[in-house]
Amino acid sequence: MFGLFIPLIAIGFGFFAGAIIMLFSGNNPMTGYVALVQGVFGDLYYFGETLQQMIPLIFSGIAVAFAFRTGLLNIGVEGQLIVGWFAAVIVGITIEAPMIIHLPLAILGGAMAGALWGFVPGLLKARLQVHEVIVTIMMNYIAMHIVNALIRAYFQESGQRTAFIHDSASLASEFLAEITNFSRLHWGFVLAVLACVLMWFLLWKTKSGFELRSVGYNRQASAYSGMNVKTNIIMSMSISGAFAGVGGAMLGLGTFEYAEILSSFTDYGFDGIAVALLGASNAIGIFFSAFLFGGLQQGANNMQGQANVAPELADIIIALIIFFVASSYLIRWIYSRLQSKKEGK
């Protein structure tokens, strides 16, 4: 039970340390945090934008957590998200079909691209024992530069972007936009919630999920019991990549409705590591963790506008939260010391 409180304690420490930094930088912490909260809950538009920010964070968090649960470190979620974004948009641009076919096909295109980008490091890990962290980091750069080159060569329509996708491939929702004061919230939010359920079902309610987790816990024991370790490693990285690819599809089919030439990484993939870590690689934890990180990103704009606090401070708070989550041993140690003193009295 105490383990459930560690992320909350880490969040509290992160905000407390952020308040100290604001104080020393000449800002009022109370004013800053009030502006942060108002930037999330102060208006229906802000709240809708926060939910919209959550969508790719949920998918990237699930991608990282799925690999982590199966004993792998997928640092390549950023690249898998980028190729998923590009593939979904290309399907949305080049194919004309009724929405009932076109939209699932575009999402599937994103998933397949992400899965392919996860398959490569999975194959190298399984067959040649190449560490997946090194491969996935390099695959991020390969993804960004290949996508940029393809857009420049074949799909550049206006400025630095492709054409807009057809309406039949769009996740845009007039209903969700109207109830959130015309924010960019789209149907991808529903898919993100379903993805949390799917992750839980795959890992905990299927035979394949049991094997994937078993291989993650102990490869030798899994091989001894007859499981195909190499296939499970490849499958795990491919499924993780598919989740990331669908996260990219949410950006291309919902938020922006086009793909663009990226001058740098989107950071959604890297933020997914923090989301998974804070959410303890648990589907419900990832949902609430994504809300926190989405809220920090959205509220940071309001902090700057109303409290004159630099938006970079939100990044510092996020970094501090990650630090304290990673230092959970320290929190456990302090807790055990306090318990010992209490029992000694």
Side-chain angles (χ1 to χ4, degrees):
M1 190 66 185
F2 176 68
L4 295 175
F5 289 101
I6 289 179
L8 297 177
I9 295 170
I11 292 168
F13 280 165
F15 278 106
F16 179 71
I20 293 174
I21 294 172
M22 272 194 272
L23 206 58
F24 277 100
S25 60
N27 295 293
N28 186 327
M30 186 62 71
T31 306
Y33 282 141
V34 168
L36 178 71
V37 173
Q38 285 180 340
V40 179
F41 298 104
D43 185 275
L44 279 174
Y45 173 81
Y46 293 151
F47 188 66
E49 282 294 304
T50 299
L51 297 183
Q52 181 273 130
Q53 292 272 12
M54 285 177 63
I55 297 169
L57 291 173
I58 288 175
F59 279 102
S60 60
I62 289 175
V64 174
F66 193 92
F68 185 71
R69 284 284 187 185
T70 55
L72 298 167
L73 292 173
N74 185 5
I75 312 297
V77 171
E78 178 71 24
Q80 293 149 14
L81 183 142
I82 290 172
V83 296
W85 180 356
F86 174 73
V89 167
I90 297 309
V91 173
I93 291 172
T94 56
I95 294 177
E96 291 188 10
M99 178 175 274
I100 194 169
I101 297 173
H102 199 185
L103 182 55
L105 200 61
I107 296 172
L108 182 63
M112 293 295 290
L116 176 64
W117 229 248
F119 172 83
V120 174
L123 181 66
L124 293 173
K125 171 80 174 181
R127 297 292 180 187
L128 303 174
Q129 296 299 311
V130 181
H131 203 291
E132 72 273 17
V133 170
I134 298 170
V135 179
T136 50
I137 288 173
M138 299 313 297
M139 292 288 284
N140 288 334
Y141 289 95
I142 295 170
M144 185 175 73
H145 291 300
I146 285 181
V147 167
N148 283 350
L150 287 174
I151 292 176
R152 283 195 183 97
Y154 303 108
F155 301 104
Q156 190 168 2
E157 177 75 12
S158 174
Q160 298 293 301
R161 63 167 176 81
T162 65
F164 285 98
I165 59 171
H166 297 309
D167 290 341
S168 54
S170 174
L171 283 165
S173 166
E174 290 185 10
F175 170 73
L176 293 176
E178 283 183 13
I179 63 173
T180 55
N181 203 11
F182 300 100
S183 74
R184 293 178 295 171
L185 183 62
H186 52 81
W187 290 120
F189 183 76
V190 177
L191 297 179
V193 174
L194 292 176
C196 291
V197 178
L198 180 62
M199 174 204 172
W200 166 79
F201 184 80
L202 281 176
L203 282 177
W204 301 100
K205 297 295 177 183
T206 65
K207 180 187 172 186
S208 296
F210 174 78
E211 289 193 5
L212 290 171
R213 287 187 289 116
S214 297
V215 171
Y217 286 132
N218 193 319
R219 286 174 194 166
Q220 286 75 24
S222 301
Y224 183 75
S225 61
M227 297 178 191
N228 191 326
V229 173
K230 293 180 180 178
T231 301
N232 278 298
I233 289 174
I234 297 171
M235 187 186 300
S236 173
M237 286 299 292
S238 299
I239 295 173
S240 173
F243 276 120
V246 176
M250 298 299 102
L251 293 170
L253 305 178
T255 305
F256 300 106
E257 300 192 327
Y258 59 80
E260 62 183 351
I261 297 171
L262 298 171
S263 57
S264 62
F265 290 128
T266 67
D267 287 340
Y268 284 115
F270 298 121
D271 289 344
I273 299 171
V275 169
L277 189 63
L278 186 63
S281 298
N282 175 284
I284 298 175
I286 288 170
F287 179 85
F288 288 107
S289 175
F291 180 76
L292 173 69
F293 282 77
L296 284 171
Q297 291 175 356
Q298 177 61 30
N301 300 324
N302 207 45
M303 284 176 76
Q304 185 182 25
Q306 291 193 5
N308 201 28
V309 176
E312 288 79 9
L313 188 65
D315 293 332
I316 294 175
I317 293 172
I318 290 172
L320 288 169
I321 290 171
I322 296 168
F323 170 79
F324 285 115
V325 170
S327 305
S328 59
Y329 172 78
L330 181 65
I331 297 173
R332 290 178 191 276
W333 181 79
I334 294 171
Y335 178 78
S336 63
R337 296 283 293 179
L338 292 174
Q339 283 294 100
S340 300
K341 284 186 178 180
K342 190 177 178 182
E343 290 171 5
K345 290 181 179 178

